[in-house]
Amino acid sequence: MKNQDFTLRAAYPAMPDDCRAALMDAARSVKEEEPMKRKFPVAILVAAILTLMTTVAIAEGWNVLAFLGIQPDSDAQTLMQPVSANAKTGNVTLRIDSAITDGEYLAFDYAVSNTKPETPVYLVVEDFTANGETIFTDGTDDFDYQWLPGWCNDGTMMDGEWVNLPSLTGNTLHVEMIVSVYTPDKPVYLMDEFDADAIRQKWNEGYYVIAGGDGFIINDPEEGLVQGFGPVNQVTGVGLSRSEMKVGFDLDLKAARASVRTPELPAPVIKDGTTLAVQSISISPLQTHIVATFTPENANYEDIVRWSDSMNFAFYDEDGNELDHYGMCLMPMYEITVEESPDGTWFRQFDCCLIEVAQSLPDTVILVYETEDGFRIKLPVTLK
C-alpha cells in the first residue's frame, strides 16, 4: 500500500467497540505454531482487522482494488480483470466482480449475502482451486466457518481473497470455489454468550441455538453441550441441512506474467560469521515480494528457536529511517519461519509481500536484521 496517503487504517471507518473487544480476545487466544513454521501475531492481526473492518458498510465502488487498499489510478489497475461469477442457493448469494493477478498472486473481491437474515446460515469453503490445484488463503476467506449474520456481520459481507498461487502452466488461470451453506432445520434462537443450561432449555422447546453468533452447539457424549468451530460433519451437523454454491472464473495469465520483473539479487553480506542474503525479488504493479534468509554460523535448530523472540527483520531507507513494512504487508505473505537446508544448516527465512508499493518505495531499501543484544547486519537491496 502507499504508506503516505492510503494506509490500511485510513481505508476503513473506525472499528465498533464490540468488534474491537472481540478482536483483542481473539488475539490474546492465538497459540503459536511449532517453531519450524511460525507466523508472527502482527500478520494475524492484519488479517483479523480486514475481516472486521469490511463488515462496515462500503456499498459503492467495492472492487478488488478497494479490497487491497490500492488507489484507482495505480499502475495495478492495468492488471485488473472484470469477472462475472455469481451463485445462489436458498436465501444466500455470492458474487465476484473483479480480480487481479500477476501470475504469482491472485486477489479478487466478493460480496456474500443472506437475504433473510432472520434465518442465519453457516458457511464453509469446501474447495478452493486454481487450475485444479488446491490453494489456501490463511484466513482471508473471511466467510469460511462463519454464520451469516454472525459476529460482526449483519448478514452481508463485502471483502476479498488474497492467495499465493502454485506454479501454473498455460496462459489461463481457472479459479473455482465451492461453498457449503448449512441452514438450521428448526427456528433459531440467538444468545449473546454460551450458557449450557439456557441452551438446553431452548433446545427442549424446539429451537436451534446460536451462541455469540459464532460456531455451533455440539451435544458431546462426555462433555455435554459445547461450542464447536470449523468444518461440519455428520456428528456436528445435526440439525443443519446442507446446500452449496459453486463459482468459477477465468483470468488471462499472459499479460499478467509479462508485468513481473526480477531485479538482480545483491551479494550476501557476512558479519561475525553470520550471513544475510536475499533469495528472490519479484516486482509487479500488484506487489513487491522479497524473500531473505539469516544464517548464523554453526547454529543448530535449538539456537534458531531460542533466538527467535529477540530478532527482527526490518526495512530502512538510505537515510536510516525505518519503513513501515508492518502496515504494508498483507497476509498471508508476512511470514518468518525456521528452515533447514539440505546440508543441515539451520536458518531463518523472511517472506514478505508488499502490496502495490513499487512506486512508493525508494529505489534502494536497506534490509536489516538485528537482535536485542545489539547485533545488527544490513544489506542494501536495489528495487528499481
Side-chain angles (χ1 to χ4, degrees), residues 3-84:
N3 205 37
Q4 297 94 328
D5 57 3
F6 202 81
T7 64
L8 178 65
R9 290 181 293 275
Y12 298 99
M15 183 186 301
D17 290 341
D18 56 345
C19 292
R20 183 184 302 279
L23 172 60
M24 292 301 102
D25 290 342
R28 284 190 291 269
S29 69
V30 170
K31 295 182 180 179
E32 287 189 354
E33 301 177 24
E34 293 298 321
M36 275 296 293
K37 191 166 187 179
R38 176 186 168 203
K39 291 179 184 176
F40 273 38
V42 65
I44 297 172
L45 288 176
V46 170
I49 290 170
L50 282 172
T51 301
L52 296 175
M53 291 297 91
T54 52
T55 63
V56 182
I58 309 173
E60 296 183 4
W62 186 250
N63 59 23
V64 66
L65 295 183
F67 160 62
L68 293 173
I70 296 177
Q71 297 282 26
D73 60 353
S74 160
D75 289 345
Q77 60 85 23
T78 62
L79 293 178
M80 189 169 72
Q81 300 182 45
V83 170
S84 180

Side-chain angles (χ1 to χ4, degrees), residues 3 8 20-21 23 42 96 98-99 116 212 224 231 236 243 369 379:
N3 205 37
L8 178 65
R20 183 184 302 279
L23 172 60
V42 65
I96 301 170
S98 60
K116 292 187 176 181
T236 60
S243 59
Y369 196 77
L379 175 60

Side-chain angles (χ1 to χ4, degrees), residues 14-280:
M15 183 186 301
D17 290 341
D18 56 345
C19 292
R20 183 184 302 279
L23 172 60
M24 292 301 102
D25 290 342
R28 284 190 291 269
S29 69
V30 170
K31 295 182 180 179
E32 287 189 354
E33 301 177 24
E34 293 298 321
M36 275 296 293
K37 191 166 187 179
R38 176 186 168 203
K39 291 179 184 176
F40 273 38
V42 65
I44 297 172
L45 288 176
V46 170
I49 290 170
L50 282 172
T51 301
L52 296 175
M53 291 297 91
T54 52
T55 63
V56 182
I58 309 173
E60 296 183 4
W62 186 250
N63 59 23
V64 66
L65 295 183
F67 160 62
L68 293 173
I70 296 177
Q71 297 282 26
D73 60 353
S74 160
D75 289 345
Q77 60 85 23
T78 62
L79 293 178
M80 189 169 72
Q81 300 182 45
V83 170
S84 180
N86 301 275
K88 182 179 186 299
T89 181
N91 301 320
V92 183
T93 61
L94 173 62
R95 186 183 77 249
I96 301 170
D97 292 327
S98 60
I100 187 170
T101 185
D102 58 5
E104 186 173 356
Y105 292 92
L106 164 70
F108 57 87
D109 65 71
Y110 70 74
V112 60
S113 180
N114 180 358
T115 59
K116 292 187 176 181
E118 63 272 18
T119 303
V121 295
Y122 189 73
L123 304 183
V124 177
V125 178
E126 298 284 1
D127 198 26
F128 189 18
T129 60
N131 288 4
E133 294 191 41
T134 299
I135 51 179
F136 302 95
T137 65
D138 276 4
T140 58
D141 45 353
D142 297 324
F143 57 83
D144 192 18
Y145 306 153
Q146 298 293 327
W147 284 102
L148 201 70
W151 83 289
C152 288
N153 85 78
D154 61 1
T156 296
M157 297 180 70
M158 300 177 70
D159 204 348
E161 298 281 353
W162 170 260
V163 297
N164 183 201
L165 292 170
S167 298
L168 301 173
T169 59
N171 292 323
T172 300
L173 169 61
H174 179 69
V175 179
E176 278 192 4
M177 179 181 286
I178 298 175
V179 181
S180 291
V181 178
Y182 291 89
T183 305
D185 296 330
K186 304 176 182 180
V188 173
Y189 184 82
L190 301 176
M191 302 179 62
D192 290 336
E193 58 186 30
F194 187 92
D195 183 327
D197 291 337
I199 291 171
R200 190 171 297 281
Q201 176 183 339
K202 300 310 292 189
W203 270 27
N204 291 338
E205 293 175 7
Y207 288 92
Y208 186 94
V209 181
I210 301 173
D214 199 13
F216 42 84
I217 308 302
I218 303 171
N219 194 6
D220 187 270
E222 297 181 358
E223 300 183 44
L225 293 177
V226 296
Q227 194 161 13
F229 304 90
V232 176
N233 57 38
Q234 291 181 346
V235 176
T236 60
V238 174
L240 299 171
S241 295
R242 180 187 180 276
S243 59
E244 73 176 35
M245 298 183 293
K246 182 177 180 179
V247 291
F249 57 88
D250 294 327
L251 298 176
D252 175 31
L253 283 178
K254 188 174 183 180
R257 290 195 180 104
S259 73
V260 180
R261 59 186 179 87
T262 54
E264 183 177 351
L265 299 182
V269 294
I270 301 174
K271 180 179 180 180
D272 298 340
T274 297
T275 302
L276 179 62
V278 173
Q279 303 298 328
S280 67

